[in-house]
Amino acid sequence: IVKVFIATAALNEHTISPDTKIVSTGSLTIPNPFDPDKPTVFKDWKAHGPVNMREALAVSSDVYFYVVGGGFRNQAGLGIERIDTYLKKFGFGAQTGIDAEKEERGVIPTPAWKAEHFNGEVWNIGNTYHTSIGQYGFQVTPLQTVRAIASIANGGTLVTPLLYRNETKIGNNGVSIGIPDGVLSVVREGMRMAVTQGTAQGLSLPSLHIAAKTGTAELGVTKEKVNSWVIGFFPYEAPRYAFAVVMERGDAHNTIGGVFVMRQLFDWMLWSTPEYVEPILPSMNLTN
């Protein structure tokens, strides 16, 4: 799911244009400075072929975001310092300020963080690659994530989450993340493509247009357990609501995850809470 925010950073920094294609043959290989006969291989979850920014978000290409994050051959990358800067813009690595008793901050992996937790080890390009797809030491909360995706949807405002009952609402103007809506619109388009033709097709509904990004975070050395994510917003044309679902520590071979759960919720909402989706449902003439 972090690919949404890496994409935003890369576009805003002009690291890559929306239409520039990167080819994923299923992996990215770099020389091993310690043993030239054993290069280091960074795998994609499948071979996607040539994909641009929108397509890479739709199919969730790991190789595309390895390159955009860390660079490869003639394509420059953001680098870990700018990745850290942009993730902080979206509120990661800090408390959201919600009016609750306890809140975790999460972790954005950086060279300083690695040196502190791994006996002074030096940061390497592989660490940047893995951070660019949300792995390594990356830690986020669902609340941080739904807040961040809301800023993508609303044109660039990071709000403070508030809890309220009934109709007692409190004003919340939020703060600007300082990224033009023209940049964010490309990311939104990629998220919509994820629903119409990519990894989030399970959320494709005729009467409710949703934009989403899936994520599968591998856990542990054996990677037999995963956290299954889906984040997004709706309606796509005029966003009103953002969402984040994470199903924790599921079997890596289980096909029921975040998308399945969110689809069940949307199906229920269409029947039981039409006030959330009524403005975009087609009008029907019931007179004879």
Side-chain angles (χ1 to χ4, degrees):
I1 56 172
V2 75
K3 293 169 183 172
V4 171
F5 311 106
I6 300 298
T8 304
L11 290 173
N12 198 53
E13 289 292 311
H14 305 288
T15 301
I16 194 168
S17 74
D19 298 317
T20 300
K21 300 233 178 193
I22 294 174
V23 178
S24 168
T25 60
S27 64
L28 181 153
T29 303
I30 62 173
N32 183 342
F34 304 104
D35 189 345
D37 295 327
K38 296 180 180 179
T40 304
V41 179
F42 297 87
K43 293 184 178 180
D44 208 328
W45 69 275
K46 67 176 290 186
H48 300 286
V51 291
N52 61 28
M53 177 69 76
R54 296 174 181 86
E55 294 164 340
L57 286 168
V59 301
S60 199
S61 169
D62 289 337
V63 163
Y64 183 94
F65 286 97
Y66 290 150
V67 176
V68 165
F72 184 69
R73 293 179 179 168
N74 295 327
Q75 175 60 56
L78 283 164
I80 193 59
E81 289 81 10
R82 286 192 291 183
I83 289 173
D84 179 52
T85 296
Y86 274 86
L87 291 174
K88 286 176 178 174
K89 284 180 182 287
F90 284 106
F92 294 109
Q95 294 177 332
T96 67
I98 191 170
D99 43 341
E101 291 185 4
K102 183 180 178 182
E103 185 181 6
E104 298 293 341
R105 302 177 66 89
V107 174
I108 303 172
T110 62
W113 171 86
K114 182 181 181 181
E116 179 183 351
H117 289 86
F118 293 92
N119 297 319
E121 284 189 22
V122 176
W123 187 269
N124 59 51
I125 186 63
N127 301 143
T128 303
Y129 285 162
H130 286 144
T131 301
S132 299
I133 66 165
Q135 293 282 19
Y136 199 39
F138 219 131
Q139 297 277 312
V140 301
T141 70
L143 186 61
Q144 287 174 328
T145 307
V146 76
R147 181 191 188 209
I149 205 64
S151 73
I152 296 282
N154 67 26
T157 299
L158 194 68
V159 300
T160 300
L162 299 171
L163 302 175
Y164 63 88
R165 294 183 63 183
N166 301 324
E167 297 301 316
T168 307
K169 297 183 180 181
I170 303 172
N172 189 350
N173 295 324
V175 296
S176 172
I177 59 175
I179 298 173
D181 191 54
V183 169
L184 300 176
S185 67
V186 175
V187 177
R188 292 195 295 265
E189 289 165 11
M191 294 179 66
R192 177 60 185 156
M193 285 178 63
V195 174
T196 59
Q197 62 192 69
T199 60
Q201 290 183 66
L203 298 183
S204 181
L205 294 163
S207 58
L208 178 61
H209 294 168
I210 301 160
K213 177 71 185 75
T214 60
T216 305
E218 297 172 325
L219 306 177
V221 176
T222 63
K223 301 180 181 178
E224 289 297 312
K225 298 290 184 180
V226 298
N227 289 342
S228 175
W229 285 84
V230 64
I231 62 174
F233 60 88
F234 66 96
Y236 169 70
E237 296 82 0
R240 294 175 62 202
Y241 304 102
F243 61 88
V245 173
V246 56
M247 303 300 291
E248 294 183 282
R249 298 192 63 79
D251 189 292
H253 306 290
N254 181 14
T255 58
I256 297 177
V259 170
F260 178 87
V261 171
M262 198 64 206
R263 174 56 184 264
Q264 298 254 317
L265 177 59
F266 279 126
D267 287 342
W268 177 83
M269 288 172 61
L270 288 167
W271 288 102
S272 302
T273 58
E275 63 271 22
Y276 288 100
V277 293
E278 262 182 349
I280 55 171
L281 286 175
S283 60
M284 293 178 288
N285 187 343
L286 300 181
T287 59
N288 291 327

